[in-house]
Amino acid sequence: MSVVTRFAPSPTGYLHIGGLRTALFSWLTAKHNDGTFLLRIEDTDMARNSEEAKDAILKAFEWVGMECDGEVIYQSKRFDVYKKYIKQLLKEGKAYRCYMSKEELAALREEQMANKERTRYDGRYRDFTGTPPAGVDPVIRIKAPQKGTISFVDGVKGEMNIAATEVDDFVIARADGAPTYNFVVAIDDALMGCTEVIRGDDHLYNTPKQIVVYNALGLKQPNFYHVAMINNEQGKKLSKRDGATDVMEYKTMGYLPEALLNFLVRLGWSHGDQEIFSVEEMIALFDPNDINKSSSNYNLDKLLWLNAHYIKEASDEKLIGLLKDFGVDLKGNEKASMLLNATKERGKTLVELAEQIKLITTAPTQYDEKSAKKAFKGEAKEILSTFADMLALAQPTTKEAFHAVMEKIVEEKEIGFGKIGMPLRVSLMGSMTGSGLDEIMAILGVSETIKRIEKAIANM
RNA sequence: GACCCUUUCAUCUAGUGGCCAAGGAUAUUACGUUUUCAACGUAAAAACAGAGGUUCAAAUCCUUUAGGGGUCGCCA
């Protein structure tokens, strides 16, 4: 039988980083088995526009290269289906109308709390046959088993046994007739043919409820996998204060999707000692049964390291395309390849890479105070001036040729490399950091190099 | 409060009773390389939450304590 997985977000606006990991796990499971990955929007109660949410999620999926198969499914458009099943359950006596008011329910909860019990509906209308109280629109509750345990095997957590007393006759349709979450999820998962349901472990307690629905309706249960949450570095719930939670923020921060996916797949899953996974490798190796039980903490350092790795690996062509969004257009620039080679290794993100490139391509407007003080002293002026003359004479064009001129001045003047290197660097870049000088000069060319040197001398 | 899940270096993790006086990666520190910064290379430091058991043998099995997380809606 073909594997079907799904991602089922509620429309809250954007795709959360934790949601992306769950989606990734589902997507990988589907792809690994040549199966289908579906997207379903859970909007049974949200007044918000779920079109927008769908677009935001699809956009994020598109960016990371995860496609969902088939049409996006909206629960809000499937009320007829759910109502049919509600009617069926009512008719079969597996569900019933409950006339308890919200106030009564609140009072019951308070009482149970006071008695140190788990709060639950007490089933008072379960076998009600009398005259219903006037003026109350009833909700519909499903009959959950009153004895025994509800058991299922979770692919992550192992065997789960939940006492039937923990699961009450929960509401499947509100007073206005709208079906509720646990009811529609079970129906949709079954009707969509989901074979593996991979979701956050905040849904662990919903599973027995959904199993009640599967059983009442005679639907086939999928395999469940409940993935522990991602926490922040302190082990607390991930919130906006811990940095970016919206997947698309990572794009604007200059992360490559392959780095983000590689980072996320290693949160709660591993394959021996392997750290670097291409998407193809993930698909080939991923198995939801290998997902770790415990929650993991979000750690930016590793993402940064992975991103640096994927930037170094990326082709010039790819980087040129990516860099356009970061204010650097290298298309058609014959020095593009040299520029990227010179900067690739010191940009951990595309933002940093773009900065490094701009640092070379734009002449310094001011000189870093500390660096200038250190470099522009002693004979610096004279050395630079001689160096400029030598450049004008030699007219080097390659990195090697520029390097040769540097070596020559070192030899002739009997000075250390630093004596020319430091002032030259500050003249060209404005500060003491950056790529190799010979590389930079080769990119700039002789005339621009001399121009910057002269400007620096004038400022000394 | 009740119920459930979870606990290996700072962080992600390997580990399914003997191969573990616990391995890899990131971060950290030192050294090397270099005209600078980074990258790179080499090295160092760094963990089985605590207590009891079972066993010839426990990170691994059991009990229990503690920490962390989750759930208890006519939200999803």
Side-chain angles (χ1 to χ4, degrees), chain A residues 63-291:
Chain A
W63 177 58
V64 299
M66 275 164 49
E67 280 173 35
C68 65
D69 304 306
E71 291 272 299
V72 176
I73 294 156
Y74 290 88
Q75 292 188 323
S76 58
K77 292 179 185 163
R78 293 166 55 78
F79 275 26
D80 290 348
V81 177
Y82 311 134
K83 282 188 177 151
K84 190 188 90 190
Y85 283 110
I86 290 169
K87 213 176 267 177
Q88 182 188 326
L89 288 180
L90 237 26
K91 200 170 144 196
E92 291 171 352
K94 292 175 178 168
Y96 59 94
R97 292 186 176 80
C98 168
Y99 295 89
M100 202 171 176
S101 70
K102 288 188 181 179
E103 292 72 31
E104 286 175 295
L105 205 51
L108 176 66
R109 283 199 193 107
E110 223 160 279
E111 191 190 318
Q112 287 167 332
M113 211 56 130
N115 290 336
K116 303 190 174 184
E117 289 167 28
R118 185 176 164 82
T119 56
R120 61 197 299 281
Y121 172 68
D122 61 4
R124 63 179 68 172
Y125 283 98
R126 191 174 167 109
D127 300 307
F128 181 73
T129 49
T131 318
V136 181
D137 285 328
V139 297
I140 295 166
R141 291 181 180 272
I142 192 166
K143 285 184 182 171
Q146 295 175 299
K147 275 187 291 210
T149 54
I150 298 174
S151 303
F152 64 97
V153 177
D154 188 286
V156 176
K157 307 281 186 190
E159 197 169 320
M160 296 290 303
N161 298 297
I162 283 112
T165 49
E166 292 295 316
V167 180
D168 63 4
D169 291 351
F170 60 94
V171 173
I172 58 171
R174 304 184 182 96
D176 64 4
T180 62
Y181 175 76
N182 281 103
F183 186 63
V184 300
V185 165
I187 291 173
D188 283 338
D189 283 341
L191 262 39
M192 285 157 68
C194 292
T195 57
E196 325 294 310
V197 167
I198 302 167
R199 66 204 342 178
D201 74 356
D202 47 339
H203 288 290
L204 196 56
Y205 247 81
N206 287 328
T207 308
K209 291 187 178 182
Q210 290 169 21
I211 286 173
V212 170
V213 177
Y214 281 107
N215 290 152
L217 258 20
L219 297 169
K220 191 174 183 312
Q221 275 180 45
N223 297 317
F224 294 104
Y225 303 83
H226 288 96
V227 187
M229 309 267 99
I230 300 175
N231 296 322
N232 68 17
E233 200 150 0
Q234 286 73 42
K236 301 285 180 193
K237 195 173 174 169
L238 198 58
S239 75
K240 285 210 164 184
R241 302 172 65 187
D242 301 308
T245 48
D246 177 357
V247 169
M248 292 312 276
E249 282 181 68
Y250 288 85
K251 187 183 180 196
T252 57
M253 288 190 296
Y255 287 95
L256 264 38
E258 44 270 60
L260 187 60
L261 292 184
N262 197 150
F263 170 70
L264 288 175
V265 83
R266 286 284 289 99
L267 244 39
W269 178 82
S270 61
H271 184 257
D273 286 339
Q274 188 170 345
E275 297 288 347
I276 306 287
F277 293 88
S278 68
V279 170
E280 291 72 32
E281 281 177 301
M282 289 180 205
I283 291 173
L285 297 169
F286 190 80
D287 183 338
N289 293 293
D290 295 337
I291 296 171

Side-chain angles (χ1 to χ4, degrees), chain A residues 9-15 41-57 74-77 240:
Chain A
S10 54
T12 50
Y14 64 80
L15 183 57
I41 306 289
E42 316 228 303
D43 55 350
T44 54
D45 192 48
M46 306 301 273
R48 220 173 304 205
N49 184 353
S50 47
E51 272 302 314
E52 275 170 30
K54 181 204 75 174
D55 290 345
I57 290 160
Y74 290 88
Q75 292 188 323
S76 58
K77 292 179 185 163
K240 285 210 164 184

Side-chain angles (χ1 to χ4, degrees), chain A residues 334-443:
Chain A
E334 52 185 16
K335 300 280 175 69
S337 181
M338 285 170 84
L339 262 169
L340 288 172
N341 272 332
T343 50
K344 244 180 188 180
E345 302 215 321
R346 60 206 84 213
K348 284 188 193 302
T349 64
L350 292 171
V351 173
E352 286 177 14
L353 186 59
E355 274 169 13
Q356 292 291 333
I357 291 171
K358 284 184 204 157
L359 224 48
I360 295 175
T361 53
T362 48
T365 50
Q366 55 184 3
Y367 303 96
D368 176 66
E369 208 175 306
K370 265 191 193 164
S371 307
K373 211 173 167 187
K374 203 173 164 194
F376 293 164
K377 66 177 183 191
E379 318 152 84
K381 207 169 186 170
E382 195 213 318
I383 293 173
L384 280 177
S385 157
T386 313
F387 186 66
D389 292 344
M390 289 169 79
L391 284 180
L393 202 69
Q395 289 293 324
T397 52
T398 65
K399 174 181 153 184
E400 289 73 21
F402 274 102
H403 192 81
V405 179
M406 284 181 78
E407 272 179 352
K408 200 173 166 203
I409 191 170
V410 165
E411 206 177 300
E412 282 182 7
K413 292 229 161 208
E414 292 181 9
I415 52 173
F417 242 112
K419 281 269 195 270
I420 174 67
M422 284 201 286
L424 181 57
R425 174 171 296 283
V426 179
S427 306
L428 298 178
M429 309 283 287
S431 81
M432 291 285 262
T433 63
S435 317
L437 282 172
D438 42 13
E439 276 180 296
I440 296 171
M441 289 189 289
I443 292 163

